[in-house]
Amino acid sequence: GGMSKQTDPSRALDGLSEDYLDACRLGLRAKSKELAARLIEAMPSLDKKILWTQKYLPDLFKIRSHLIDFQIYNAIVFPALLDGASRNDAEAYYLLGITTESRSPEEGQGVGIESLSRFDLLRRACALAPENRLYAHRLLEELMSLFKYLDHEWPAGILVDQENAIAELEEIN
């Protein structure tokens, strides 16, 4: 009944989380914004944010790929991932790397992990877990998109040390 839900705070949080995810899936902007605010209020402690992120990040990814609502990302997911990264958790670095677009611009300022680019975050994930093929694949994708972006910026003949560059790429792969 209605009473039992109130007595168990974690069940109430799960209910709120599911409602939030449903609102996101259905594209109900106002509703998901309101529920996001309530979720953020319900999770003041970092421990709760970490547990919530572990549990619900995969669901958030399913809804909008790697774009997560700014409110939720900045208040819950980002602090949880930063905490993991501060403990050299490869997965946290990887998740920070693939969610850089969800960060609101002011969150990107600062020193330390917050200021790292997508490439640096993914490179660190690979360094911490060299056996992980997914991280390596994502890092290479990022490298290739950086090269594509730079392609038209390069004056002719700037790639003098091509052999070294090729050796470095092979090392990464």
Side-chain angles (χ1 to χ4, degrees):
M3 288 310 291
S4 66
K5 233 181 182 166
Q6 285 342 103
T7 55
D8 183 349
S10 74
R11 265 184 59 191
L13 187 60
D14 283 342
L16 195 55
S17 302
E18 293 302 335
D19 290 348
Y20 168 73
L21 290 168
D22 286 341
C24 290
R25 284 184 197 106
L26 295 167
L28 305 173
R29 279 256 164 89
K31 183 85 179 141
S32 61
K33 221 174 169 57
E34 175 218 327
L35 289 164
R38 284 172 57 197
L39 267 177
I40 291 163
E41 216 172 280
M43 281 181 276
S45 75
L46 183 61
D47 287 347
K48 277 197 174 134
K49 291 175 184 186
I50 292 167
L51 288 169
W52 191 91
T53 298
Q54 287 167 346
K55 185 170 182 178
Y56 290 107
L57 195 57
D59 294 316
L60 290 172
F61 280 167
K62 278 180 208 140
I63 296 168
R64 288 186 62 205
S65 163
H66 300 117
L67 265 183
I68 298 159
D69 167 56
F70 282 140
Q71 274 176 291
I72 291 287
Y73 188 80
N74 292 319
I76 300 170
V77 177
F78 190 61
L81 295 180
L82 271 185
D83 178 73
S86 73
R87 288 181 283 102
N88 277 334
D89 176 44
E91 181 77 356
Y93 273 108
Y94 171 71
L95 292 170
L96 281 169
I98 63 172
T99 56
T100 49
E101 279 120 20
S102 297
R103 226 187 288 177
S104 66
E106 63 273 12
E107 291 288 336
Q109 305 316 301
V111 292
I113 298 163
E114 296 98 307
S115 63
L116 293 176
S117 68
R118 171 181 285 243
F119 172 72
D120 288 325
L121 291 162
L122 292 171
R123 189 168 57 177
R124 209 163 275 194
C126 287
L128 290 165
E131 72 294 340
N132 189 309
R133 305 305 299 153
L134 175 65
Y135 300 170
H137 181 78
R138 201 40 86 89
L139 178 65
L140 276 176
E141 272 183 355
E142 179 60 16
L143 257 181
M144 283 158 78
S145 76
L146 287 171
F147 281 137
K148 272 194 196 106
Y149 172 76
L150 288 172
D151 198 29
H152 56 258
E153 312 263 325
W154 283 338
I158 201 160
L159 283 178
V160 181
D161 195 2
Q162 269 177 324
E163 257 153 49
N164 200 13
I166 289 163
E168 271 181 44
L169 271 176
E170 278 171 354
E171 207 176 295
I172 289 164
N173 205 355

